[in-house]
């Protein structure tokens, strides 16, 4: 009995490790406490209205984390809020398109429906700490489901904009 017990344990462990490896790219609820930093980091423009948001405000939404290797060289745990939840919270879900603007003027456009479909994480932390500008901060987008394909060079991460400082509803 013991003789077959060991290989079985090994096989089960193998399956569990494989599953863990696959789900490591998924988003899981995070235990981190929301930031208390009220410094503005993001400008929201919607019609004529402009609003400044801090990490404290953004992190009031449910926090999720994902462990991944980012092609810009950061490997670890990325924590943030779901972009889909963010756009609903701030009334951007009806916009025709959303324009994201980075500190280096790089810009992308996303339609709210695509945001809902693709599982973007609006990242506020790397390994538990806020991201500095030279670490792709203050905010960046990742799509955990696409992480492996991006690393393998199968998918171009054009929507993985980093150093986001402004979002405009257009
Ligand atoms: N802020 C910012 N984010 C960005 C970019 C950029 O130039 N600035 N380039 C985008 C593009 S086009 C790609 S393919 C990936 C990788 O960019 P890189 O190859 O210039 O590192 O990051 C995306 N995110
Ligand atoms: Mo690119």
């Amino acid at each position: 009995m013991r003789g077959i017990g060991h290989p079985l344990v090994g096989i089960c462990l193998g399956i569990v490790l494989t599953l863990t490896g696959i789900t490591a790219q998924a988003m899981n609820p995070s235990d981190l406490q929301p930031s208390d930093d009220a410094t503005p980091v993001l400008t929201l423009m919607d019609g004529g209205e402009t609003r400044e948001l801090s990490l404290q405000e953004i992190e009031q939404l449910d926090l999720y984390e994902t462990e991944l290797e980012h092609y810009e060289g950061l490997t670890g745990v990325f924590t943030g809020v779901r972009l889909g939840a963010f756009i609903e919270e701030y009334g951007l879900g009806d916009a025709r398109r959303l324009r994201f603007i980075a500190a280096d003027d790089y810009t992308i456009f996303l339609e709210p429906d695509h945001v809902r479909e693709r599982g973007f994480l609006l990242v506020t932390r790397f390994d538990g700490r806020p991201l500095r500008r030279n670490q792709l901060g203050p905010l960046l987008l990742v799509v955990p489901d696409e992480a492996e394909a991006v690393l393998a060079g199968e998918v171009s991460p054009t929507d993985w904009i980093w150093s986001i400082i402004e979002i405009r509803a257009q």
Side-chain angles (χ1 to χ4, degrees):
M1 282 303 219
R2 265 169 194 268
I4 62 158
H6 287 285
L8 271 182
V9 168
I11 290 166
C12 290
L13 196 62
I15 291 170
V16 168
L17 287 177
T18 307
L19 288 174
T20 315
I22 290 166
T23 55
Q25 309 292 334
M27 282 191 240
N28 298 305
S30 163
D31 290 335
L32 277 186
Q33 290 303 308
S35 167
D36 58 8
D37 190 338
T39 313
V41 293
L42 179 70
T43 303
L44 272 191
M45 286 183 57
D46 187 1
E49 285 177 39
T50 300
R51 180 164 181 188
E52 304 283 339
L53 294 182
S54 63
L55 288 184
Q56 184 185 45
E57 288 169 292
I58 295 167
E59 291 189 350
Q60 291 306 308
L61 290 165
D62 291 341
L63 291 171
Y64 288 85
E65 62 185 29
T66 184
E67 190 167 0
L68 60 80
E69 183 177 345
H70 193 283
Y71 56 85
E72 288 293 321
L74 294 180
T75 300
V77 178
F78 293 79
T79 306
V81 302
R82 288 179 185 271
L83 185 60
F86 177 91
I87 67 171
E88 300 310 334
E89 174 74 14
Y90 290 100
L92 306 173
D94 297 330
R96 194 165 55 86
R97 58 181 193 172
L98 298 169
R99 181 177 181 186
F100 295 74
I101 304 171
D104 63 353
D105 290 333
Y106 181 75
T107 192
I108 63 165
F109 297 89
L110 295 175
E111 291 173 20
D113 278 347
H114 291 147
V115 168
R116 292 183 192 104
E117 286 157 15
R118 268 176 72 197
F120 284 95
L121 186 66
L122 177 63
V123 174
T124 55
R125 317 261 195 123
F126 173 66
D127 282 348
R129 287 179 296 276
L131 287 133
R132 297 185 302 272
R133 286 271 174 107
N134 64 4
Q135 267 186 315
L136 317 179
L139 301 166
L140 69 142
L141 290 184
V142 300
V143 185
D145 288 345
E146 297 173 3
E148 277 179 27
V150 163
L151 272 188
E154 294 158 9
V155 167
S156 178
T158 48
D159 291 338
W160 292 41
I161 178 174
W162 65 82
S163 294
I164 302 166
I165 56 170
E166 188 173 324
I167 301 175
R168 292 185 196 165
Q170 302 193 320

